Amino acid sequence: DGGITQSPKYLFRKEGQNVTLSCEQNLNHDAMYWYRQDPGQGLRLIYYSQIVNDFQKGDIAEGYSVSREKKESFPLTVTSAQKNPTAFYLCASSMIGTGGTEAFFGQGTRLTVV
Amino acid sequence: KNQVEQSPQSLIILEGKNCTLQCNYTVSPFSNLRWYKQDTGRGPVSLTIMTFSENTKSNGRYTATLDADTKQSSLHITASQLSDSASYICVVSEWGYQKVTFGTGTKLQVIP
């Protein structure tokens, strides 16, 4: 089945540690995105990538890093510089094109700092 | 700055009743508007997607409307069911640019 997969579903991190969230898609989509969702707030864009080996900062990129070595994969690293990393993280992918482009989302990773 | 505002923030309705959720946006130039349903702790799932030339689109009991002149959209849910309890998110894309703007969502609770 085609889709977008995030792992793990739940992740616990100690303060000061870096953690990496996985996002894989087999939809042959060019663009991939990472969003953060906090309770009572909308999704906020962290990073996005439109092509392999290229990515752009979103609205809240500080404390995060990404890579896009393969079209199918867009891992997100939450670094120790991120002051408040506890949140629900969503990965999405979409085709590049004109109007009508739809984004598909993964099931999310809930990160908790302990 | 592009914005997408949704109302109401939360809504409680009785099972079987209809409801309408609102989305106003300032994104320009406009490409498309999508409504997503997000169950608690899950990723959003697309309900409808509308481009500039589309005024209405249905998906079962969900009907979305779009007025591109006033930059308003609505999502109407008919004969609500308990499974409709979720957050509904309005997402607007800018033409030729893959960065999208998300609304904060409307949390709908359907009660027996």
Side-chain angles (χ1 to χ4, degrees):
Chain A
D1 288 337
I4 181 166
T5 303
Q6 288 184 240
S7 61
K9 189 173 182 179
Y10 299 97
L11 186 58
F12 296 89
R13 187 196 93 171
K14 293 182 179 179
E15 285 194 25
Q17 284 184 337
N18 294 352
V19 289
T20 297
L21 284 59
S22 171
C23 179
E24 304 277 334
Q25 56 96 2
N26 60 6
L27 300 166
N28 199 33
H29 285 170
D30 297 302
M32 297 186 74
Y33 317 78
W34 274 105
Y35 296 94
R36 169 181 172 142
Q37 189 175 37
D38 294 284
Q41 295 191 38
L43 278 72
R44 292 184 290 168
L45 182 64
I46 304 173
Y47 269 99
Y48 66 100
S49 167
Q50 295 181 290
I51 194 171
V52 174
N53 292 324
D54 186 53
F55 46 83
Q56 305 296 326
K57 292 182 178 180
D59 299 317
I60 56 166
E62 185 176 353
Y64 300 97
S65 66
V66 293
S67 63
R68 187 86 186 277
E69 297 178 1
K70 299 186 299 181
K71 187 176 184 179
E72 302 80 17
S73 178
F74 192 40
L76 173 74
T77 296
V78 184
T79 74
S80 56
Q82 169 51 237
K83 299 305 179 186
N84 185 23
T86 295
F88 188 57
Y89 291 87
L90 282 165
C91 179
S93 69
S94 71
M95 292 295 290
I96 298 287
T98 55
T101 303
E102 178 179 352
F104 291 83
F105 287 86
Q107 289 302 299
T109 293
R110 185 166 297 281
L111 173 63
T112 303
V113 173
V114 297
Chain B
K1 182 178 178 181
N2 288 333
Q3 289 185 311
V4 176
E5 296 182 350
Q6 292 187 242
S7 62
Q9 187 173 15
S10 62
L11 183 63
I12 300 175
I13 62 172
L14 292 173
E15 186 179 11
K17 298 296 186 182
N18 302 337
C19 67
T20 301
L21 314 180
Q22 298 291 339
C23 174
N24 297 339
Y25 63 92
T26 62
V27 175
S28 180
F30 174 82
S31 173
N32 63 73
L33 183 147
R34 291 164 279 169
W35 283 94
Y36 285 85
K37 178 184 178 185
Q38 184 182 20
D39 293 314
T40 301
R42 306 293 295 274
V45 175
S46 178
L47 293 174
T48 64
I49 180 169
M50 302 176 70
T51 59
F52 184 87
S53 59
E54 296 175 300
N55 299 118
T56 184
K57 184 169 280 189
S58 292
N59 178 2
R61 295 179 297 103
Y62 300 100
T63 300
T65 64
L66 174 66
D67 186 335
D69 292 330
T70 62
K71 298 187 177 181
Q72 296 179 327
S73 177
S74 65
L75 180 69
H76 186 74
I77 304 175
T78 304
S80 62
Q81 301 176 358
L82 298 178
S83 59
D84 292 331
S85 296
S87 290
Y88 292 84
I89 303 171
C90 176
V91 180
V92 183
S93 297
E94 186 177 335
W95 183 266
Y97 186 44
Q98 290 304 309
K99 183 179 175 182
V100 298
T101 305
F102 283 74
T104 55
T106 293
K107 188 167 186 177
L108 173 66
Q109 185 177 359
V110 181
I111 59 175

